[in-house]
Amino acid sequence: MQQEAIQAAKAAFKLPDPREMNALQLAYVGDTIHDLYVRSLLVSRGMKVGAMHKQAVRMVSAFAQARMLEAIEPELTEEEQDVVRRGRNAQAKHAAPKNADPADYSHSTALEALWGFLYVTGRLDRLDELIRDAIGKTEDVWHKKSSK
């Protein structure tokens, strides 16, 4: 499933040591990981493409990702919490999108940095566990947000 796709992508390139990557680089990778999981989940539900796209947009929003981070933060290791802190404090050279709350945007960057860190360090089982947990714990939140 996602693990095989992630393993194949990871094997294709030699990635830098994560300690040499800044939080925004980790988030850049983590954004794609998050998107892959969301799209895989929606395809597994047999949804029509238009409906999948609308739902994916809601699930990858800063709002939804911030809620996902809040849902799993108590379960994070000290090292993972440090990555999240780095991601939350990262200063992008651009402002948060106009439709995103700046606090949510920094939390979503933190979540993506965590996903990127786990991917780059090869902790794919932990990545899978946390993403599934984050999505499962917040599914009602992004469904409520989507009905507005």
Side-chain angles (χ1 to χ4, degrees), residues 1 7 10-11 32 65-66 70 87 118 133-134 141:
M1 178 166 169
Q7 288 280 20
K10 190 166 179 358
T32 298
Q65 289 181 336
E70 290 169 359
L118 293 171
D133 194 27
V141 173

Side-chain angles (χ1 to χ4, degrees), residues 15-31:
L15 296 169
D17 184 317
R19 293 171 297 199
E20 296 172 8
M21 296 175 72
N22 67 47
L24 294 176
Q25 290 171 318
L26 292 171
Y28 180 77
V29 172
D31 176 63

Side-chain angles (χ1 to χ4, degrees), residues 42-56:
L42 298 176
V43 167
S44 76
R45 292 183 174 175
M47 299 170 71
K48 292 184 178 181
V49 174
M52 284 191 298
H53 175 72
K54 287 178 184 175
Q55 189 62 41

Side-chain angles (χ1 to χ4, degrees), residues 1-2 7 10 17 19 21-22 25 30 49 62 64-65 69-70 72 76 82 85 99 101 129 138-139 144 147:
M1 178 166 169
Q2 292 101 330
Q7 288 280 20
K10 190 166 179 358
D17 184 317
R19 293 171 297 199
M21 296 175 72
N22 67 47
Q25 290 171 318
V49 174
Q65 289 181 336
L69 178 61
E70 290 169 359
I72 62 166
L76 300 180
D82 287 341
R85 201 169 9 265
N99 62 341
D101 175 77
E129 172 190 347
T138 59
E139 191 163 0
K144 286 179 192 171
S147 63

Side-chain angles (χ1 to χ4, degrees), residues 43-98:
V43 167
S44 76
R45 292 183 174 175
M47 299 170 71
K48 292 184 178 181
V49 174
M52 284 191 298
H53 175 72
K54 287 178 184 175
Q55 189 62 41
V57 167
R58 290 187 288 263
M59 292 175 71
V60 300
S61 70
F63 174 84
Q65 289 181 336
R67 303 298 79 77
M68 289 178 192
L69 178 61
E70 290 169 359
I72 62 166
E73 260 185 308
E75 302 162 36
L76 300 180
T77 67
E78 190 173 316
E79 181 181 38
E80 292 164 350
Q81 290 172 8
D82 287 341
V83 172
V84 165
R85 201 169 9 265
R86 284 177 51 206
R88 192 178 289 128
N89 294 331
Q91 298 297 314
K93 300 230 187 274
H94 60 275
K98 64 180 178 181

